[in-house]
């Protein structure tokens, strides 16, 4: 029987000691959950241990093959460039190792459920029934990136969080590098008619940026006493997160990196769309495809979509 590849967790890194410790503790939890394989984790920057040290730790345990999973919600510069570059460097330093690379975590339905729980907790702490959501506007705050695609992923998470859950709206803001910032995002919520806002940090663990989100939220709320503003907590090391990292590991090991099946309404029961799971997909043509004069009419319909699944 071949030994399964080891698991290497790659993190952003943070100047916040508690955030770095949360990551290291998470890696330890994963290791104790999966005693059958070596698990190590390291950071790209800012905090120890560096990713290279984690690879060396695995190699010293006799590991020759591993799967690297980025512990990141969106695919920005770190996941797209820095981690692959670091892994390529490690391959040169340790001849004979091989690895596969998994995909970032979000916006997976399991994480959306944790975000929903964080919103319920924030609303519950305000002494009201979390069930009444029709007057709640959520401001989902992402890290922010110079990569437009990474910022768009936060918008995707916001839309998926809104779908089927009954909130008045889910708006998006960013804490660094991208507009709108938190105060502008809150202003926008008010212009859209929000009376009760929950600011929800789209972050895995505590850190300098989630703290900044909370401080900016409190500052804005103090200047706008007429609006109720609540702050929700980060995702944290929940069982769902442990399960999801393992799912990404298994995908990477099998080489099963599919299209966006995580949030596909035909594969996953999303709130309000449960009846669509498993529905057979029929080819269908859009009215503007007018027969077959356009090349894209063939293979671009849902029949192709379902086979890709």
């Amino acid at each position: 029987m071949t030994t399964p590849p080891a698991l290497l967790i790659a993190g952003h890194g943070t100047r916040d000691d508690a955030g770095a410790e949360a990551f290291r503790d998470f890696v330890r939890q994963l290791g104790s959950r999966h005693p059958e394989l070596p698990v190590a984790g390291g950071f790209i920057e800012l905090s120890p241990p560096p990713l290279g040290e984690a690879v060396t730790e695995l190699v010293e345990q006799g590991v020759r093959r591993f799967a690297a999973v980025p512990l990141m919600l969106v695919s920005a510069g770190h996941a797209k460039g820095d981690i692959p570059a670091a892994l390529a460097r490690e391959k040169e330093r340790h001849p004979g190792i091989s690895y596969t690379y998994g995909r970032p975590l979000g916006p997976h339905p399991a994480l959306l459920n944790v975000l929903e729980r964080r919103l319920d907790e924030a609303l519950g702490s305000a002494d009201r029934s979390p069930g009444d959501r029709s007057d709640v506007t959520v401001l989902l705050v992402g890290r922010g990136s110079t990569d437009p695609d990474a910022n768009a992923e936060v918008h995707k998470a916001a839309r998926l969080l809104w779908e089927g859950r009954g909130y008045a709206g889910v708006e998006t803001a960013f804490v660094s590098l991208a507009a709108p910032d938190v105060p502008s995002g809150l202003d926008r919520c008010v212009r859209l008619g929000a009376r009760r806002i929950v600011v929800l940090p789209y972050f895995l663990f505590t850190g300098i940026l989630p703290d900044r989100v909370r401080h900016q939220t409190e500052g804005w709320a103090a200047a706008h006493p007429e609006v109720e503003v609540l702050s929700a907590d980060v995702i944290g090391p929940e069982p769902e997160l442990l399960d999801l990292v393992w799912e990404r590991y298994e995908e990477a090991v099998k080489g099963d990196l599919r299209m966006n099946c995580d949030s596909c309404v035909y594969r996953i029961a999303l709130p309000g769309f449960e009846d669509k799971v498993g529905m057979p997909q029929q080819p269908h043509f859009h009215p503007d495809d007018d027969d077959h004069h356009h090349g894209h009419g063939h293979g671009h319909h849902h029949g192709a979509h379902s086979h890709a699944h």
Side-chain angles (χ1 to χ4, degrees), residues 25-69:
D25 190 53
F26 183 80
V27 172
R28 287 191 287 269
Q29 277 188 63
L30 261 173
S32 59
R33 251 193 182 207
H34 298 283
E36 74 281 7
L37 80 164
V39 177
F43 295 106
I44 290 297
E45 60 181 6
L46 302 175
S47 37
L51 199 58
E53 210 170 279
V55 173
T56 302
E57 180 190 322
L58 291 175
V59 170
E60 284 171 355
Q61 291 176 54
V63 167
R64 286 291 166 267
R65 294 185 311 138
F66 62 87
V69 175

Side-chain angles (χ1 to χ4, degrees), residues 194-276:
R195 289 283 164 270
R196 174 176 280 122
I197 304 168
V198 186
V199 177
L200 177 62
Y202 193 44
F203 285 85
L204 292 174
F205 302 130
T206 55
I208 284 170
L209 294 179
D211 286 349
R212 190 178 298 162
V213 174
R214 189 174 283 264
H215 291 144
Q216 290 179 354
T217 299
E218 287 166 357
W220 187 92
H224 299 79
E226 71 286 0
V227 185
E228 185 185 351
V229 186
L230 302 167
S231 284
D233 282 332
V234 295
I235 290 168
E238 294 293 289
E240 288 93 337
L241 186 58
L242 288 154
D243 291 343
L244 176 53
V245 170
W246 186 250
E247 192 177 312
R248 292 287 184 256
Y249 164 79
E250 291 192 312
E251 281 177 357
V253 168
K254 290 178 194 148
D256 182 25
L257 303 182
R258 298 166 299 184
M259 59 193 293
N260 60 330
C261 300
D262 283 340
S263 50
C264 171
V265 78
Y266 301 108
R267 289 181 66 96
I268 304 286
L270 294 175
F273 299 89
E274 290 84 357
D275 58 323
K276 287 199 189 288

Side-chain angles (χ1 to χ4, degrees), residues 36-189:
E36 74 281 7
L37 80 164
V39 177
F43 295 106
I44 290 297
E45 60 181 6
L46 302 175
S47 37
L51 199 58
E53 210 170 279
V55 173
T56 302
E57 180 190 322
L58 291 175
V59 170
E60 284 171 355
Q61 291 176 54
V63 167
R64 286 291 166 267
R65 294 185 311 138
F66 62 87
V69 175
L71 198 70
M72 295 168 190
L73 289 167
V74 299
S75 189
H78 284 297
K80 289 176 179 176
D82 298 339
I83 297 172
L87 293 174
R89 190 173 63 236
E90 292 309 311
K91 203 168 186 305
E92 284 179 12
R93 282 179 49 197
H94 304 282
I97 65 169
S98 65
Y99 61 88
T100 52
Y101 184 39
R103 52 188 182 127
L105 305 173
H108 193 283
L111 294 185
L112 297 170
N113 290 339
V114 179
L115 292 172
E116 181 178 10
R117 207 153 69 227
R118 295 290 175 255
L119 290 167
D120 281 348
E121 289 161 4
L123 291 164
S125 69
D127 299 327
R128 59 192 298 276
S129 154
D132 175 26
R133 297 170 169 181
S134 57
D135 64 345
V136 173
T137 299
V138 179
L139 182 63
L140 184 71
V141 182
R143 171 178 291 270
S145 171
T146 52
D147 179 345
D149 179 49
N151 297 331
E153 283 290 306
V154 182
H155 280 262
K156 181 174 181 178
R159 178 71 197 195
L160 285 166
L161 183 61
W162 178 81
E163 290 275 2
R165 286 187 177 83
Y167 301 111
V170 181
E171 293 299 309
T172 311
F174 300 96
V175 74
S176 64
L177 300 175
D181 61 12
V182 174
S184 305
L186 287 162
D187 290 343
R188 177 180 161 84
C189 290

